[in-house]
């Protein structure tokens, strides 16, 4: 793709991003819910950790970071579909997007990127403020979000989160493309949300799952959404292990994008042959 | 060399059928039955650069299908179609950059963006150089009187304003060809007139080729010298409006203002459609000049008006005759 072509897509991302920044009330409502849930989770985990007989595979400090990162970055994960996109399928106006001189996959990918990141940015500031500052002020020091242990951890976390954004968008694209074949996307989206929360590690951090599921958990793509970046942040994944995990994320992004492009091509053939 | 060449174009859709009731619902889970519907059954036409052509037909005639094929978003089942030297659906991305398409029924602007931001985004998408964009936008804003609308989000525009913005957005990248699918649907008389005026202007100024579908034959009369009529997926006629009128309607209304209340001879009495004192409307099915000559020689006449039938009647007759 030439730089000139890329500019078009960047314009799509930035325009959509700016539009979505208008939805401030939804973001405030969202972060209030997420903070509440974060506190509930921490209550449950601290109860478990107090009665634990063996040393759990994640330190409590790591758990705190894991929970707050999950709550603050909640909107980043592929648990819902852009309502605009759904409306487009319902009204059958998908075909009209093909009137633009853009690759349909790249066009939608750009919009999805904006849809995932804009609400996240809105929620991030109040969320982090609560996790870092408010909790300290009220004296709940154990539950205060810790800082990354090193500069390397912080920097690798940043790279990893960028890959999470790409991974999330590429998963989302598969859900969107499935709408070409399904009349209603709601079933697919509900299924998706369940899968993402459990396999990503949002419900229970993945290292706390029983040993016998670990081989499966370590290879599935959803781990790249929460588990990898969050544990890089807390230093639980460190040293050369980080490189391996970043490659793991990148590989899944590549696989899912290729799958999406291939499916999109088939969908477009179906659309152009069968009509919108 | 024609700019748009369409030959033997056919399109059939496959539609899944389900038998009614519970049994049908269960059956269709395992075995689907399909029915083929022919939307186009061999359409031919050629359009030269700068022409403005009306494309009309009743609902379901195949107008939108044709437009979608020409716009590169639908692949025909058979036939040839070459626009600007390329086959639309084969090189979609480079092709759609050269055309403009407006669907009166649905906007292609971004719903929650101010109009000017939609335009800016289109500039990026179509990679229009900045200075070209400025000139183009200035021209469109002036012709369509858009300046008060530019900062309004699209969702707050009235239908007329929205359609104007949609048409402008389809022309920002200075396409050579403009496809308009029912551009004046639902518009009031004043807005309609201004949209028509604009289309005419842009056709002349930029030498844009226009293909326009509509149900409002006023559009056709105001804009198009040539009109293609289709029904049921085939071309019924391809001619000028006047030819169409002469070909299909062999009767005219003649309104005569007599000097005094005339004593009509019986042969003329049979032709009377309407009588208002000294003003009488006749139906003339024979040669019009003979009829007028006869009348002037026999009666004292103040004024004669020959009314051509409205184009609606011509078209209705054409649709009916094709059934």
């Amino acid at each position: 793709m030439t730089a000139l072509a890329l500019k078009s897509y960047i314009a799509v991302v930035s325009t959509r991003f700016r539009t979505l920044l208008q939805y401030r009330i939804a973001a405030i409502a969202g972060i209030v819910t997420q903070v509440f849930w974060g506190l509930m989770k921490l209550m449950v985990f601290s109860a478990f950790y107090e009665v634990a007989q063996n040393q759990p595979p994640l330190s409590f400090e790591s758990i705190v970071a894991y929970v707050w990162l999950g709550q603050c970055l909640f909107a980043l994960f592929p648990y819902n579909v852009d309502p605009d996109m759904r409306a487009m399928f319902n009204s059958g106006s998908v075909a009209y997007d093909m009137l633009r001189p853009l690759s349909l996959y790249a066009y939608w990918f750009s919009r999805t990127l904006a849809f995932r990141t804009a609400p996240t940015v809105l929620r991030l500031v109040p969320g982090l403020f609560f996790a870092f500052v408010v909790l300290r002020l009220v004296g709940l020091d154990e539950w205060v979000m810790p800082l990354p242990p090193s500069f390397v951890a912080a920097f690798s976390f940043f790279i990893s989160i960028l890959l999470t954004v790409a991974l999330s968008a590429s998963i989302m694209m598969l859900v969107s493309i499935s709408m070409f074949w399904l009349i209603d996307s709601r079933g697919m989206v509900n299924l998706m949300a369940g899968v993402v929360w459990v396999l990503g590690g949002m419900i229970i951090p993945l290292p706390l799952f029983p040993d016998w599921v670990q081989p499966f958990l370590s290879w599935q793509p959803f781990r790249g959404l929460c588990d990898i970046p969050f544990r890089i942040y807390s230093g639980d994944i460190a040293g050369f292990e980080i490189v391996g995990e970043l490659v793991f994320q990148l590989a899944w992004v590549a696989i899912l994008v290729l799958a999406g492009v291939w499916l999109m091509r088939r969908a477009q053939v179906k659309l152009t042959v069968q009509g919108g | 060399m024609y700019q748009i060449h369409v030959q033997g174009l056919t399109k059939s859709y496959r539609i899944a059928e389900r038998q009614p009731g519970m049994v049908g619902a269960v059956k269709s889970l395992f075995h689907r039955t399909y029915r083929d519907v022919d939307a186009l059954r061999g359409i031919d036409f050629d359009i030269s650069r700068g022409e403005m052509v009306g494309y009309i037909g009743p609902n379901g005639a195949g107008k939108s299908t044709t437009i979608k094929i020409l716009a590169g978003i639908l692949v025909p089942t058979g036939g040839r179609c070459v626009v600007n030297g390329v086959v639309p659906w084969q090189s979609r991305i480079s092709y759609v950059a050269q055309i403009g398409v407006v669907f009166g029924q649905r906007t292609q602007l971004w719903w929650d963006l101010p109009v000017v931001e939609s335009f800016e985004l289109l500039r990026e998408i179509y990679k229009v150089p900045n200075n070209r964009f400025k000139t183009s936008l200035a021209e469109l804003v002036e012709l369509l009187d858009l300046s008060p609308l530019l900062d309004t989000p699209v969702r707050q525009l009235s239908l007329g304003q929205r359609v104007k913005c949609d048409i402008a957005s389809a022309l920002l990248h200075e396409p050579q060809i403009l496809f308009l699918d029912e551009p004046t649907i639902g518009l009031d008389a004043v807005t309609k007139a201004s949209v028509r005026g604009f289309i005419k202007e842009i056709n002349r100024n930029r030498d844009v080729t226009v293909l326009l579908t509509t149900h409002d034959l006023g559009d056709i009369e105001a804009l198009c010298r040539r009109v293609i009529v289709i029904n049921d997926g085939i071309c019924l006629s391809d001619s000028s409006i006047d030819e169409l009128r002469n070909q299909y309607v062999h009767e005219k209304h003649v309104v005569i203002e007599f000097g005094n209340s005339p004593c009509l001879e019986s042969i003329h009495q049979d032709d009377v459609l309407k009588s208002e004192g000294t003003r009488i409307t006749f139906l003339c099915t024979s040669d019009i000049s003979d009829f007028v000559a006869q009348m002037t020689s026999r009666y004292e006449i103040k004024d004669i008006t020959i009314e051509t039938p409205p184009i609606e009647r011509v078209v209705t007759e054409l649709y009916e005759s094709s059934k």
Side-chain angles (χ1 to χ4, degrees):
Chain A
M1 206 184 292
T2 65
L4 197 60
L6 201 57
K7 247 187 102 194
S8 306
Y9 300 106
I10 292 170
V12 171
V13 177
S14 97
T15 310
R16 185 88 184 115
F17 189 88
R18 275 180 287 135
T19 312
L20 288 167
L21 284 186
Q22 295 169 21
Y23 297 104
R24 270 163 296 213
I25 304 287
I28 291 168
I31 196 64
V32 169
T33 317
Q34 266 113 53
V35 161
F36 176 75
W37 272 103
L39 291 173
M40 297 247 294
K41 276 187 186 169
L42 285 177
M43 277 183 234
V44 173
F45 282 121
S46 56
F48 275 121
Y49 269 63
E50 263 167 43
V51 298
Q53 288 168 0
N54 307 324
Q55 174 72 26
L58 269 187
S59 69
F60 189 70
E61 203 178 37
S62 297
I63 289 281
V64 173
Y66 207 111
V67 166
W68 286 128
L69 284 172
Q71 297 312 111
C72 292
L73 298 171
F74 189 85
L76 205 58
F77 307 118
Y79 71 98
N80 65 349
V81 174
D82 188 342
D84 269 20
M85 207 83 110
R86 181 149 53 197
M88 213 162 63
F89 275 95
N90 287 345
S91 67
S93 58
V94 175
Y96 300 98
D97 268 2
M98 289 172 63
L99 291 172
R100 303 292 177 213
L102 299 172
S103 138
L104 200 53
Y105 186 88
Y107 181 31
W108 286 10
F109 192 89
S110 310
R111 283 166 48 167
T112 308
L113 279 183
F115 179 69
R116 294 268 68 112
T117 49
T120 308
V121 167
L122 282 179
R123 291 166 198 218
L124 202 56
V125 178
L128 291 179
F129 180 75
F130 183 86
F132 277 121
V133 182
V134 176
L135 284 175
R136 199 183 302 275
L137 291 178
V138 299
L140 281 168
D141 286 347
E142 264 177 42
W143 291 2
V144 171
M145 169 109 154
L147 286 168
S150 65
F151 174 76
V152 174
F155 183 74
S156 318
F157 168 74
F158 179 71
I159 304 288
S160 178
I161 254 325
L162 291 183
L163 287 167
T164 294
V165 173
L167 187 62
S168 175
S170 61
I171 292 171
M172 221 46 253
M173 282 300 289
L174 292 178
V175 178
S176 301
I177 297 169
S178 77
M179 290 195 269
F180 277 104
W181 285 275
L182 303 172
I183 293 165
D184 193 333
S185 61
R186 271 176 295 186
M188 185 73 183
V189 171
N190 289 344
L191 184 74
M192 200 62 213
V195 169
V196 166
W197 296 144
V198 175
L199 295 183
M202 276 288 275
I203 308 274
I204 302 168
L206 296 186
L208 302 185
F209 275 84
D211 287 341
W212 58 270
V213 280
Q214 290 300 338
F216 164 71
L217 288 179
S218 65
W219 281 105
Q220 44 87 23
F222 303 101
R223 195 167 78 86
L225 294 173
C226 317
D227 196 58
I228 292 177
F230 296 178
R231 282 168 56 207
I232 290 178
Y233 181 95
S234 62
D236 192 54
I237 295 173
F240 273 116
E241 229 186 312
I242 294 178
V243 180
E245 298 291 23
L246 294 181
V247 170
F248 176 87
Q249 282 182 300
L250 191 63
W252 268 114
V253 170
I255 291 169
L256 296 178
V257 167
L258 286 178
V261 169
W262 181 76
L263 275 176
M264 181 67 104
R265 198 166 298 153
R266 290 200 47 183
Q268 266 176 284
V269 169
K270 176 180 129 73
L271 184 69
T272 54
V273 170
Q274 189 49 48
Chain B
M1 181 64 189
Y2 293 111
Q3 193 169 30
I4 302 177
H5 171 69
V6 173
Q7 196 183 4
L9 206 61
T10 61
K11 176 75 200 172
S12 48
Y13 297 105
R14 169 159 277 209
I15 292 179
E17 272 190 333
R18 209 190 78 187
Q19 285 149 19
M22 196 60 196
V23 179
V26 173
K27 255 190 195 167
S28 72
L29 285 177
F30 302 100
H31 178 76
R32 293 200 171 192
T33 49
Y34 293 98
R35 182 167 55 99
D36 283 331
V37 177
D38 295 321
L40 299 179
R41 299 185 296 160
I43 298 276
D44 305 282
F45 58 80
D46 291 301
I47 297 174
S48 309
R49 173 103 209 238
E51 262 195 283
M52 188 137 56
V53 178
Y55 195 64
I56 62 172
N59 291 325
K63 299 187 298 291
S64 292
T65 302
T66 315
I67 295 278
K68 282 181 184 165
I69 291 173
L70 288 171
I73 58 176
L74 205 54
V75 178
T77 313
R80 272 166 61 80
C81 169
V82 181
V83 186
N84 264 356
V86 296
V87 177
W89 60 92
Q90 278 175 6
S91 38
R92 178 185 68 85
I93 293 181
S94 61
Y95 170 75
V96 293
Q98 305 166 25
I99 61 166
V101 189
V102 176
F103 293 93
Q105 306 252 39
R106 58 181 12 134
T107 182
Q108 295 178 73
L109 298 167
W110 289 268
W111 200 239
D112 32 31
L113 284 187
V115 175
V116 70
E117 285 202 38
S118 274
F119 288 175
E120 278 291 332
L121 183 52
L122 287 171
R123 179 179 70 78
E124 295 279 3
I125 288 178
Y126 285 89
K127 305 176 186 79
V128 186
N130 240 325
N131 49 349
R132 291 271 297 279
F133 175 76
K134 271 186 195 144
T135 337
S136 183
L137 182 62
E139 184 193 13
L140 295 167
V141 165
E142 199 210 303
L143 284 175
L144 282 164
D145 195 17
L146 296 181
S147 46
L149 309 178
L150 286 178
D151 294 320
T152 319
V154 173
R155 73 178 112 80
Q156 287 173 15
L157 297 177
S158 73
L159 179 67
Q161 293 170 334
R162 204 218 75 207
V163 169
K164 281 182 174 181
C165 292
D166 253 310
I167 296 179
S169 81
L171 287 162
L172 283 170
H173 56 292
E174 302 179 319
Q176 294 176 11
I177 304 175
L178 184 60
F179 296 112
L180 300 167
D181 195 11
E182 304 190 18
T184 60
I185 194 160
L187 301 185
D188 66 60
V190 178
T191 315
K192 236 179 223 179
S194 97
V195 167
R196 285 172 188 163
F198 169 77
I199 296 171
K200 213 169 198 167
E201 193 81 16
I202 213 78
N203 166 260
R204 198 169 27 206
N205 290 358
R206 294 191 182 178
D207 201 23
V208 176
T209 310
V210 181
L211 182 68
L212 165 116
T213 82
T214 184
H215 288 295
D216 185 337
L217 297 158
D219 291 346
I220 303 285
E221 282 190 297
L223 295 173
C224 307
R225 288 222 190 91
R226 178 177 162 201
V227 56
I228 299 171
V229 187
I230 69 162
N231 194 9
D232 232 352
I234 51 169
C235 284
L236 298 180
S237 122
D238 180 351
S239 60
S240 75
I241 288 224
D242 292 336
E243 275 169 22
L244 190 66
R245 209 178 250 135
N246 294 337
Q247 200 178 339
Y248 284 91
V249 178
H250 309 287
E251 52 191 46
K252 287 196 164 71
H253 292 182
V254 183
V255 184
I256 301 180
E257 181 87 49
F258 292 96
N260 45 27
S261 288
C263 268
L264 289 180
E265 289 168 34
S266 61
I267 49 158
H268 294 140
Q269 269 174 8
D270 295 343
D271 295 337
V272 172
L273 280 177
K274 202 164 65 177
S275 175
E276 305 149 295
T278 56
R279 189 184 159 87
I280 297 177
T281 308
F282 296 90
L283 178 72
C284 168
T285 48
S286 55
D287 189 79
I288 189 83
S289 49
D290 283 355
F291 179 81
V292 173
Q294 252 185 47
M295 296 309 271
T296 41
S297 63
R298 291 183 202 189
Y299 308 106
E300 189 198 332
I301 288 172
K302 269 184 168 166
D303 191 22
I304 292 187
T305 330
I306 300 166
E307 286 181 350
T308 48
I311 188 77
E312 272 80 5
R313 256 204 30 239
V314 180
V315 170
T316 314
E317 217 154 284
L318 194 55
Y319 294 170
E320 295 284 328
S321 71
S322 72
K323 271 184 189 163

